[in-house]
Structures are given as C-alpha cells and as structure tokens.
Amino acid sequence: MTDVLRRGRASLAFSFFAQGAAFALLVTRIPAIQDRYGVSDALLPAFLAAVPILAGVGSVTTEQLVRRIRPSRLLRWSQPVVLLALLGVGSGDRLVELAVALGAFGLAVGALDASMNMLGVSLQRTYGRSIMLGFHATYSLGGIVGASLAWVGAHWHLSLFVSYLPVVLVLLPAAFVGSRWYVDGGAASVPEADAEADAEADADADAEVAAEVGKGQGQSGALVFRLLLPLCLVMTFAYIGDSTVSNWSAKYLQDVLGSSEQLATVPYNVYMVMTLVGRAVGDFGVRRFGAVAVVRLGAVVAALGFAVVAVAPGAWVGMLGFTLLGLGLCVLVPQTFAAAGRLFPGASDAAVARLNIFNYVGFLIGSPLVGALGDAWNYRGAMLVPMVLVLATLGYARSFAPEPDRYGDGHERPRTADVGRGSNGL
C-alpha cells in the first residue's frame, strides 16, 4: 500500500475518534445541559429527538451534495462545525441558544457520519480487504475517552464550557490538519497527471448511478430498493439495540435487578469497552471467515445478550448480558456500510448516505419503544423485543455476501473494479 493510503487511513481513523469523543461528551452531559438551560422534563425529549431528526436531514442533503462535491471536502468542513456546535452548547444560557447549537450539531453530524463512512467504504474497496471495523473501533475508543472526560467534568463540578473547551482546542485543529490527507474513492490508484480528468469522469459516472439509487421508481429503481432495503432494516435493528443499552442499561440494572446507583453506571462502560474489543478484532474475522459469518455470529451473540439481560436474577448476571451485547452488536453497523459499498460500487456514496438515515431511525425508535413497553408491560419483557429484531438480522445475512468481489484469505478475493479503476466503465 502507498503512503497516500496509509496517511488517508490514519487521518480518517482520527476523524472517527474525534466524532466518537464529541458525541459522548454531548450525550453523557445531558443532565448538566438540562440544568444549565432550565429545560423542563416535558421539553427535554423534543430537544433530544431534534438532533437525530436533523442528522437525518443532513445525511439526505449529503447524498445530493456528493454528486458535485467530494466526500473528503464535506468531512473536512462538517467536523469543525460539529466541534464548534458542541462548544456552543456549553457556552449559552438561553433556550434559543441551545436550540441553535443543537440544530447545527444535528445537521453537521448527519453530513459528518455520511461522508466519514463514504470515505471508509471507498478506502476498504481500494485496500481490497476489510478495514471498516477498525474505523468504527476508533469511534468506540473516542466514545470511551469522551465519556471519561465527561465524568471528570461532572466529578469536579466543571462548567460545560470548561469541560468542552480543551477538547475542542485539541481535536479541531488536529482534525482539520489531518483532513488534508483524506483519500476519496479511487484517488490513490490514479496517476497524478490524470487525477483531475479522471475525477471529473468518476463524478459524472457516479452521479448517473446515484440518480438511479435515488429514483426508487421503475424496474431498475425497484431492484435497487430491494437490494438496499435489507441493509436498511439491519441498520435500524442494530441501532434499536444500541439505543436500548445506552438509554436503559443503568435504569434496568438499578430498578429491575436491584443494583446500587454506582454499580448501575458500569454496564454501559462495559458495553463500550466490549464494542471496542469486538471491532478491533472484527476485521480479522471478516478476512478469515467472511462478512456473512461474522454478521450471523454477531446477531446470535447480541440476541443471547438480550436474553441473558431479560432473565438475569441479579446485577452481575445482567452485566454479563450487556457484555455479550457489546461483542455482538459492534460488528453489525460497520459491516452494513461495507455491504452497501459492495452492492453499489459505482454509487457507494449515495448508498451510504441513504443507509445512514436508518442509523437515526433506529436511535429514535429504540428508546421510546422499550420505555413504552416497560411501562405498559414490564422491562424484562421489553428486552425481548430488541432481541427478536436483532435475530431477524439472520434472515438478511446473505445481503452481506460480497458475491464475486470478495476480499480476504479464501473468502474474499478482490477484483479490478473494486480496487481502483477497471473494466466496468466507471
């Protein structure tokens, strides 16, 4: 691999890390944000729901923008906006200021998530082997670091601005400098003298196929929709599971399993650590056994985790269930993005942007669904619903098969069209 690809991979990994840290710093300080701005309990859900809704709008907008603007440029400018919006959340004192900051955060996060995964998918295709889980592992690491910094801020009673400012001062310039090494799809495979002309040809070709992805009408559009729909469902199910853990693990351990308030904070940390571990080794599993086997194993382990949580007699068994959930759910989202890139190699950017919307759909559905079922029925029974949804992933596992474009030892073999410019006319 060239130095260009190595630098591109490292800079993109740092972007994933920075986003994980920024998002964790926001969501783990929600009580402090509520206190600072005097947001009522009745109004808080509206503010929290606005972020993923606007992120979905940002992702849809990115799908249109990448037809004319390279994903690397969108990522270069959306990441600073996310970090500055985070600082804005910690700087104001009026509700309107909070609304503006969260609105900017949500829109920019949608563009950032979509463009970041576009670059990850295209880099994986250029490398010719699975590397997508590694990028998401750095996101998990950033989340752990961000949550730890948030704990420090809360423990020492630091204001939101004081907690956020050092992080932004470090991450923003580092991410902006690193953005100069982002690698767009196919860029590393093209001689420098021909790069501009080839980029224009790629943009025209990708725009044509992207238009087909976006139509959703006619025979070819219906075929595209049928191919992408299973991945959209898997993405939704995965984030329903993830939001269940992030929003209900502490309450479940304390109220249902009778743990102390201090012990109730542990399951989410365990979940994040196991997510990091699973993603750190997941790429090796994909190369050795293939994406389908890894997705199936992840779905089974995650379902087992929900089952253990649902029947746990006490807190420590419950934590075992959340440990299994981290190991199982961690592989689904990265592999879903990777599968979309393989299904539409000529329009992977549009496919990733469309798929990214279902990230926020799952996030919006998961927490209210479990809460409503828990109140109407009981929380043990509520945990069985995401278990069933995750198990449904097994029925869609074949959608992750790379077909002829397999990367890896005995399971995935690269073809020319997947590792750069080839005979497919793109």
Side-chain angles (χ1 to χ4, degrees):
M1 287 297 155
T2 66
D3 289 339
V4 171
L5 286 180
R6 292 191 185 97
R7 288 195 297 267
R9 184 178 179 182
S11 61
L12 184 59
F14 183 80
S15 181
F16 272 88
F17 172 87
Q19 171 58 4
F23 191 76
L25 280 166
L26 177 72
V27 298
T28 55
R29 296 304 307 272
I30 286 174
I33 294 170
Q34 185 179 11
D35 292 341
R36 180 183 180 89
Y37 290 92
V39 181
S40 66
D41 289 339
L43 192 58
L44 182 62
F47 275 93
L48 297 181
V51 174
I53 290 172
L54 289 172
V57 173
S59 188
V60 171
T61 304
T62 301
E63 180 185 351
Q64 305 303 316
L65 290 176
V66 293
R67 299 181 184 182
R68 298 301 173 195
I69 303 173
R70 293 182 178 182
S72 60
R73 292 184 181 178
L74 291 175
L75 178 56
R76 178 178 300 155
W77 295 107
S78 60
Q79 190 139 51
V81 174
V82 168
L83 292 168
L84 291 174
L86 176 68
L87 190 60
V89 169
S91 304
D93 52 20
R94 294 184 299 169
L95 279 179
V96 65
E97 294 171 332
L98 176 63
V100 170
L102 288 178
F105 187 92
L107 287 170
V109 158
L112 189 153
D113 283 347
S115 56
M116 198 163 58
N117 282 289
M118 289 173 189
L119 292 181
V121 167
S122 63
L123 261 180
Q124 173 166 292
R125 189 163 61 243
T126 304
Y127 261 77
R129 67 176 188 267
S130 179
I131 60 173
M132 199 65 184
L133 279 156
F135 290 129
H136 284 260
T138 62
Y139 179 92
S140 298
L141 178 61
I144 293 170
V145 171
S148 300
L149 292 174
W151 180 89
V152 170
H155 180 74
W156 293 102
H157 305 290
L158 302 177
S159 70
L160 290 170
F161 182 78
V162 172
S163 295
Y164 291 162
L165 182 61
V167 178
V168 174
L169 288 178
V170 171
L171 294 183
L172 196 154
F176 194 76
V177 170
S179 69
R180 63 185 294 187
W181 293 299
Y182 293 153
V183 177
D184 287 286
S189 304
V190 184
E192 190 173 343
D194 299 330
E196 185 174 348
D198 286 343
E200 292 176 0
D202 276 353
D204 292 340
D206 285 357
E208 292 176 7
V209 187
E212 181 180 321
V213 173
K215 281 178 185 176
Q217 297 177 351
Q219 185 175 0
S220 61
L223 175 60
V224 167
F225 180 73
R226 285 200 302 272
L227 288 171
L228 195 57
L229 179 60
L231 300 180
C232 295
L233 292 173
V234 172
M235 182 70 78
T236 302
F237 299 159
Y239 271 98
I240 287 174
D242 181 81
S243 65
T244 297
V245 177
S246 60
N247 288 286
W248 294 104
S249 59
K251 180 178 177 61
Y252 187 88
L253 213 73
Q254 187 171 356
D255 293 355
V256 179
L257 301 183
S259 78
S260 65
E261 182 178 357
Q262 185 177 6
L263 187 61
T265 64
V266 175
Y268 186 66
N269 290 330
V270 171
Y271 172 79
M272 288 298 295
V273 170
M274 298 315 295
T275 296
L276 171 61
V277 171
R279 288 173 171 174
V281 302
D283 281 322
F284 299 102
V286 174
R287 296 170 199 165
R288 179 67 181 86
F289 302 106
V292 173
V294 169
V295 168
R296 283 174 174 163
L297 179 62
V300 170
V301 171
L304 178 61
F306 275 119
V308 170
V309 169
V311 302
W316 290 103
V317 177
M319 275 196 281
L320 172 62
F322 288 113
T323 300
L324 293 172
L325 280 168
L327 283 173
L329 289 176
C330 70
V331 301
L332 299 183
V333 172
Q335 284 307 302
T336 304
F337 280 122
R342 288 194 297 267
L343 279 173
F344 305 101
S348 62
D349 291 346
V352 167
R354 182 68 56 85
L355 186 60
N356 189 57
I357 298 169
F358 291 86
N359 162 351
Y360 312 116
V361 171
F363 189 85
L364 280 170
I365 293 174
S367 181
L369 175 66
V370 171
L373 288 172
D375 290 339
W377 183 21
N378 64 71
Y379 282 97
R380 288 186 183 272
M383 291 293 168
L384 298 177
V385 175
M387 180 194 78
V388 172
L389 293 177
V390 169
L391 273 179
T393 299
L394 295 174
Y396 302 116
R398 292 304 305 171
S399 298
F400 293 82
E403 299 300 335
D405 320 283
R406 303 195 170 193
Y407 319 128
D409 302 333
H411 290 273
E412 303 179 0
R413 294 190 177 89
R415 66 175 182 180
T416 306
D418 251 6
V419 295
R421 200 162 310 281
S423 57
N424 62 349
L426 300 181

